[in-house]
Amino acid sequence: MDSAPQNPPPNLQHEADFDAVLRSAQATIPLHHSFQSEVWRRIATAQAATPSARMAQFVEARLVWLGRPAVATAAVLTMVTTGAWLGLKERPAKVSGKLAYIESISPFAEPQDGGAR
C-alpha cells in the first residue's frame, strides 16, 4: 500500500474550491429598521389566533374579573344562598318500591304524588 496522499478527483476538487469561495463570501444585506419588531409582531399574532390561546385569554379575563372584591363577594354569596336553598328545599315523599311498581303497570292505580300520568 502506498502512504502518499492522493489528490481527489477533479470534480471533488472543484466542489471543495467552490465551497471555500461560498464560505468566504460575506454579504451584508441592509434590513429595514423595523424588520425584527415586525417579525415578532407576526409571530405573536399567529400565536394569538390559536384556539388554545383564545381559551387561555378567556379564562384569564374571567379570573381577573372574579378577583375583584365586590364580584368575588357576590359570587360567594350566590353560591352559599343557592346551596342553602337546594339543601332546604322540600323533598318529595318517599314511595315504596311495591307501590311504584303497581302504579307503573296498572292502568287503574292512581299516582300517590297527585300528579297526572
Side-chain angles (χ1 to χ4, degrees), residues 12-25:
L12 289 181
Q13 180 63 36
H14 177 67
E15 286 181 20
D17 292 341
F18 186 65
D19 286 343
V21 169
L22 286 177
R23 285 191 185 102
S24 67

Side-chain angles (χ1 to χ4, degrees), residues 23-80:
R23 285 191 185 102
S24 67
Q26 295 293 326
T28 53
I29 301 170
L31 297 176
H32 192 263
H33 65 280
S34 64
F35 176 78
Q36 187 173 8
S37 62
E38 183 67 22
V39 168
W40 284 111
R41 187 190 63 77
R42 287 184 183 182
I43 291 171
T45 302
Q47 287 176 344
T50 62
S52 61
R54 287 182 187 165
M55 181 57 82
Q57 290 171 351
F58 176 79
V59 169
E60 182 179 355
R62 296 310 171 262
L63 289 176
V64 166
W65 181 74
L66 191 58
R68 295 179 181 164
V71 176
T73 302
V76 168
L77 287 175
T78 302
M79 287 186 274
V80 168

